[in-house]
Amino acid sequence: MSAQLAQPEQSVRPAPAITPTLRSTGRRAAFWVIAGAGALIVALIAMVLSNAAAVGGPPLGAENPAPAGGMALAEVLSAQGVDVVVADSLDAALEASAAAQAADGGVTLFVSDPGDILDAAQIARLGVAEHTVVVDPSFAYLQELAPEIGFGGVGADGPIAAGAGCALAAAERAGSVAGSDDAALKTLSVPSDAAGYAACCGDAASGSSVLVQRGGPGALTLVSDEAIFANASITSAGNAALALGLLGEQPTLVWYLPTLADVAVGTPSLAELTPGWVTPVMVLLVLCGLAAAVAYGRRFGPLVIENLPVTVRASETMEGRARLYARNSERLRAVDALRIATVGRIATALGLARTASLDEVVGSAASVTGSDPSRVLATLLGDEPQNDAQLLALSDRLLDLERAVQAATRPGGATGTAPSSTHDSRTERMEP
C-alpha cells in the first residue's frame, strides 16, 4: 500500500506503581484476622464455661475450695482430730481402710462417684470398711450395695426435717437438711418391707428419704444428694451436723473419689477425654471457613486493563497489519478491511441503521451521489484487485465514494453530483 503514512511519535509515560502497600495488604487480610480472633474468643469462652464447675478440683474434693467442693468439711473434721486420708484409687482406699482397722481403730469410707467410674465388680469391693458412706449413689451402686433401695425423685423446696420416726443419732442432732438456697434435694425410695434399713429426712407416706442407713457389721449409709456435704450448702439447716456426725464417728476417715486410675478397661481414648463442646465447635469453624472461602476466594471475573509502560496508538497497529498484508500479498484481505470500514462510515453518513443490508447502503449511496448503482456495488463488493496498482486504485475509489456521500449528505451539499477522482485523493491515507 503506497499511501503516504505519517510516522506518529511514541509517547512514553511512567507506569503507575502496582506493588501492594501495607495498607492494602492489611485491608485484604482484615476479614481473616477478625474471623480468627472471633473463633479464638468463642473457643476460650466455651472452655471457661465448661470448666467453671471444675475450678479447684472435682466435686466434693477434700482439697477443693470451690462451692461444689468439700474442703470445708474436711478441714473441720481434721480440726476435730479425725485422720482424713485422701485416696485417688480404689486400691489405695481399700489399703488405707485395712491399715486403719489393723491398727485397732475404726474407719469410715466416704465415697462420691458422680461420673459413675466404678463398675459392678469394683463397687462390690467397697463393703470392707467398718462404715461406708456413699453420696448420690447411681443405679449401679444401688444394685450392688442395696438392691432393695430405689430412686425417690426430688423432694419439696426448703429444709426437710429428720422426722419423728428417725432412729439415726446424726440425723436427730441435725434436725433438718437443705440444699443450697433451700433448693430441693434428691431422695431415695425405701419400700415398707425392706428389712434392716432406717430412713430419715423424708416423707414417711411416700417412703422417700434423703438419708438411708443399713446397720450391723459393715454399715452402709446412702445420702441421696451431695449438696449436704458441699462447701456452698454445708451451713444450710443442719447439714454440717449431719455430715460431721456421719463422717466423724470413727478416728480415721478415708476420703475416696474415683478417678481415671480406676477405669477397668484400658486407658480412655482422646475422644473420651475431649469435652463434648469440641466437636460442634470444630464443625462450626470448618463450615465458617468453607463459607468464607466461597465468598471471598479468588474466582474468574471480568477482564481488566493492563497497566502498560507506554501508549501504543491505533494507527501503529493498523500500519503493522498493512505491512503484513503487503508482505504476504493479501490484497483481497486488505481491501476487505477498507471496504468494511467504508461501508460503516457511509451507512452512518446516510443515517441508516446498523442492521442495514449492503444493498440498502449501495442504493442509498447511488441515489444521493447520482452514481450508477452497479459501479457503487463493484466498488464496495465486486472488484478484486490483482496487483498493487489495482489495489491502490480501488482504495482511491472507496475514498472518492465516501467523500461524495459525505458531501451530498452535509447540509447545503449538492445531491446527484458524481464523485471525481483527483490527484490529491490518491495521496491521502485510507484508514479502515
Side-chain angles (χ1 to χ4, degrees):
M1 300 176 64
S2 60
Q4 294 182 358
L5 304 176
Q7 296 294 333
E9 295 182 358
Q10 188 180 58
S11 62
V12 180
R13 60 181 178 88
I18 58 175
T19 303
T21 63
L22 182 61
R23 177 178 297 178
S24 61
T25 303
R27 190 161 44 245
R28 288 195 298 268
F31 169 79
W32 298 107
V33 173
I34 295 174
L40 181 60
I41 292 174
V42 171
L44 291 176
I45 293 176
M47 184 180 300
V48 170
L49 292 179
S50 64
N51 295 332
V55 174
L60 294 188
E63 300 175 350
N64 183 4
M71 183 176 179
L73 177 60
E75 292 290 337
V76 173
L77 289 171
S78 297
Q80 292 181 351
V82 178
D83 183 16
V84 179
V85 180
V86 179
D88 57 1
S89 68
L90 178 60
D91 293 337
L94 296 180
E95 289 176 4
S97 299
Q101 290 179 350
D104 295 332
V107 59
T108 300
L109 177 60
F110 175 75
V111 182
S112 176
D113 187 10
D116 205 12
I117 295 177
L118 300 185
D119 58 18
Q122 293 171 317
I123 294 173
R125 298 171 58 189
L126 293 175
V128 297
E130 186 173 346
H131 182 199
T132 301
V133 178
V134 179
V135 181
D136 192 11
S138 64
F139 179 77
Y141 278 82
L142 294 179
Q143 286 294 103
E144 291 297 327
L145 301 178
E148 301 88 353
I149 307 303
F151 296 108
V154 179
D157 294 341
I160 300 178
C166 179
L168 302 178
E172 290 178 352
R173 289 194 298 270
S176 64
V177 293
S180 178
D181 297 329
D182 292 336
L185 296 172
K186 292 183 289 186
T187 62
L188 297 173
S189 176
V190 183
S192 57
D193 56 351
Y197 289 94
C200 294
C201 304
D203 184 2
S206 62
S208 60
S209 302
V210 174
L211 179 66
V212 177
Q213 187 176 80
R214 183 184 62 203
L220 173 67
T221 300
L222 304 176
V223 182
S224 63
D225 202 309
E226 62 184 13
I228 295 175
F229 302 92
N231 295 331
S233 52
I234 188 66
T235 57
S236 299
N239 292 355
L242 177 62
L244 293 174
L246 292 176
L247 304 183
E249 63 181 3
Q250 302 295 339
T252 301
L253 170 64
V254 178
W255 196 294
Y256 170 49
L257 306 181
T259 62
L260 293 178
D262 295 314
V263 176
V265 183
T267 303
S269 64
L270 181 61
E272 295 174 342
L273 295 177
T274 302
W277 57 265
V278 172
T279 299
V281 168
M282 293 298 295
V283 172
L284 179 60
L285 290 178
V286 171
L287 294 178
C288 290
L290 292 176
V294 172
Y296 292 92
R298 293 182 178 273
R299 56 189 182 272
F300 293 112
L303 296 177
V304 296
I305 299 176
E306 181 181 2
N307 293 323
L308 298 176
V310 296
T311 300
V312 180
R313 293 183 177 179
S315 59
E316 296 183 14
T317 305
M318 178 191 68
E319 292 166 5
R321 187 182 302 172
R323 294 189 188 99
L324 292 177
Y325 289 162
R327 183 183 305 171
N328 295 280
S329 299
E330 293 288 347
R331 300 181 185 89
L332 184 58
R333 186 178 294 274
V335 78
D336 283 344
L338 295 176
R339 279 170 167 168
I340 292 173
T342 301
V343 169
R345 289 193 289 267
I346 289 176
T348 301
L350 294 172
L352 298 177
R354 297 177 60 88
T355 57
S357 64
L358 181 60
D359 292 338
E360 294 176 349
V361 175
V362 170
S364 299
S367 175
V368 299
T369 59
S371 303
D372 184 4
S374 61
R375 178 176 174 78
V376 176
L377 179 61
T379 301
L380 295 180
L381 182 63
D383 291 346
E384 295 185 9
Q386 302 300 321
N387 50 49
D388 290 343
Q390 293 180 9
L391 175 61
L392 181 58
L394 181 56
S395 175
D396 291 339
R397 288 164 54 191
L398 288 171
L399 182 57
D400 291 340
L401 177 61
E402 181 180 347
R403 284 183 170 179
V405 171
Q406 291 178 350
T409 56
R410 189 179 300 119
T415 303
T417 303
S420 61
S421 177
T422 65
H423 175 74
D424 292 339
S425 65
R426 290 193 299 271
T427 61
E428 295 188 5
R429 193 171 90 187
M430 221 14 221
E431 292 189 5

